[in-house]
Amino acid sequence: MNHEKMTRKEFLKLTGAAAGAGVIASSGLGSIANAQSSDLLHRPIHSTGEMIPAVGLGTALEFGDLSGDFSKRKGAIEALFREGGSVIDTSPTYSDAEQIVGRALDELGARDKCFLATKTSIRGKQAGIDQNTQSFKDLRTNSFDLLQVHNLRNTDAHLDTINGLREEGKVRYVGITHFRESQNDDAVKVIENNKIDFIQCQYNLLDRSVEERVLPAAREHGVAVMINVPFARGGLFGPTAGAGLEIPEWSKDFGVDTWGKFFLKFILGHPDITVIIPGTINDYHVVDNVGALRGRLPTQTERQRMVQFIEDL
Ligand SMILES: NC(=O)c1ccc[n+]([C@@H]2O[C@H](COP(=O)([O-])OP(=O)(O)OC[C@H]3O[C@@H](n4cnc5c(N)ncnc54)[C@H](OP(=O)(O)O)[C@@H]3O)[C@@H](O)[C@H]2O)c1
């Protein structure tokens, strides 16, 4: 990925502003706006100040099915870049997702446009090293933007390896992931006791458990936050879109015109969130999801109303 860097002054100005209800990258920020050439919400990775679009693409669930339609999955990736997104999250354990992403990036000539995140997802230090080697091959790249310890499995051993890869210039950012409430305390301990750049965790209108300790710890230690499972694995659509429920009129005030945007704007309205990675194999859902980066974000009062609305269903 080509990375635009900011001056410290610009970074502080933006992060300060981001502590409010969210920032559109182009609003009154001159050179940053020009550097990003888009009106999409970007958020900073705290450890460097690098700005990334705050919605990307996840590749779990159906994405990794090699027997499925490759061109459809490639189309979803193409749509991500066309719409101004860049972050893709994958894993060697998402069936053949790494092979599919690697082939698509190759065919699209898009590796430089992509902030590519994958994981070490196996027990044992040497097994992790071997798995990383295969991931480089499958993703057809010499470097990852982010390499994460998957689900806090063998965290110490794998962080040691990933930090080594960073020293070799093969990894730019180091992270951990989890998605279970029962692992929140362990995630906080890793944040407190290690130098990591990213934490990936679950946050959505049905599971807000990370608000209590994980997000405050990430803020305190300057760790960027990547959100997985933003739609509760699609479960949020059942009682809303699936039931034919109309989008609440009041949410149109902050640019919501689909249920997908309703759920994503709720998450983006939390100032500690850096990027969300909704999973989809459909280009039109990518367009919808990246579209959540336009327009204003809900205020904290409006976010409370969103929580209440879902709880009342
Ligand atoms: N521990 C970990 O590290 C961990 C754990 C879980 C997930 N993750 C990561 O987080 C990503 C997101 O989680 P997830 O994929 O499990 O669940 P999710 O993003 O909460 O939900 C995905 C589901 O939402 C649907 N969808 C996506 N955009 C939509 C839209 N705009 N309108 C309507 N439906 C939409 C998708 O259907 P279609 O495909 O039909 O569009 C898919 O069924 C994963 O792909 C993975 O990269 C990481």
Side-chain angles (χ1 to χ4, degrees):
M1 186 187 179
N2 290 325
H3 307 287
E4 303 290 352
K5 287 281 165 60
M6 293 179 293
T7 64
R8 180 170 164 74
K9 196 174 162 198
E10 286 169 333
F11 173 58
L12 290 175
K13 186 174 175 187
L14 194 63
T15 45
V23 183
I24 298 297
S26 63
S27 53
L29 290 170
S31 59
I32 299 172
N34 292 334
Q36 291 168 179
S37 66
S38 94
D39 62 351
L40 299 182
L41 175 74
H42 285 58
R43 291 250 167 98
I45 299 170
H46 306 298
S47 56
T48 60
E50 178 184 342
M51 304 294 292
I52 53 173
V55 167
L57 173 66
T59 61
L61 306 180
E62 280 182 82
F63 202 98
D65 180 5
L66 252 188
S67 67
D69 183 349
F70 169 73
S71 62
K72 184 171 182 165
R73 287 150 176 81
K74 180 179 165 185
I77 290 178
E78 195 171 17
L80 178 74
F81 301 133
R82 192 182 58 239
E83 294 302 304
S86 74
V87 177
I88 297 179
D89 176 73
T90 189
S91 166
T93 50
Y94 296 165
S95 303
D96 295 312
E98 285 192 333
Q99 287 180 50
I100 292 169
V101 171
R103 182 179 159 196
L105 291 179
D106 207 5
E107 290 183 8
L108 293 167
R111 176 65 189 91
D112 279 357
K113 292 181 188 156
C114 183
F115 183 101
L116 184 58
T118 192
K119 312 191 181 90
T120 307
S121 184
I122 196 166
R123 291 209 173 277
K125 186 168 171 70
Q126 185 56 45
I129 292 168
D130 296 343
Q131 191 181 53
N132 296 337
T133 303
Q134 188 62 42
S135 292
F136 282 116
K137 282 188 193 142
D138 288 343
L139 284 162
R140 305 189 191 189
T141 185
N142 296 322
S143 67
F144 302 132
D145 294 287
L146 169 62
L147 186 54
Q148 308 154 104
V149 180
H150 201 173
N151 289 333
L152 302 174
R153 196 178 285 134
N154 272 191
T155 304
D156 290 345
H158 295 326
L159 279 183
D160 187 53
T161 302
I162 297 171
N163 278 312
L165 288 170
R166 168 147 68 180
E167 278 170 28
E168 289 176 48
K170 293 180 176 171
V171 165
R172 299 201 310 121
Y173 294 107
V174 176
I176 57 166
T177 82
H178 80 296
F179 69 104
R180 292 193 180 92
E181 182 173 356
S182 60
Q183 288 190 304
N184 283 345
D185 287 343
D186 289 339
V188 169
K189 280 184 199 143
V190 177
I191 290 172
E192 287 172 347
N193 297 321
N194 298 270
K195 175 83 195 79
I196 59 171
D197 303 291
F198 270 90
I199 163 101
Q200 184 186 137
C201 53
Q202 175 166 190
Y203 183 44
N204 58 52
L205 271 163
L206 293 178
D207 182 348
R208 294 179 287 120
S209 63
V210 292
E211 286 176 350
E212 203 181 319
R213 289 182 306 282
V214 176
L215 297 183
R219 186 189 322 136
E220 186 185 338
H221 293 269
V223 174
V225 178
M226 182 179 285
I227 295 302
N228 60 38
V229 198
F231 301 134
R233 299 223 146 101
L236 274 163
F237 292 106
T240 52
L245 201 64
E246 293 287 334
I247 294 156
E249 205 54 38
W250 46 265
S251 69
K252 294 179 183 169
D253 279 358
F254 45 92
V256 167
D257 57 7
T258 63
W259 281 108
K261 291 196 185 84
F262 186 94
F263 304 136
L264 294 178
K265 277 183 177 266
F266 168 76
I267 298 170
L268 292 168
H270 195 298
D272 293 331
I273 306 308
T274 311
V275 56
I276 313 174
I277 43 163
T280 181
I281 55 171
N282 292 304
D283 55 1
Y284 51 89
H285 280 161
V286 172
V287 173
D288 184 26
N289 296 338
V290 176
L293 297 177
R294 293 196 181 84
R296 80 167 172 92
L297 296 176
T299 63
Q300 299 315 309
T301 307
E302 288 166 332
R303 292 181 80 239
Q304 275 310 317
R305 196 169 180 185
M306 296 169 104
V307 169
Q308 198 58 53
F309 183 87
I310 294 299
E311 281 180 2
D312 288 347
L313 288 180

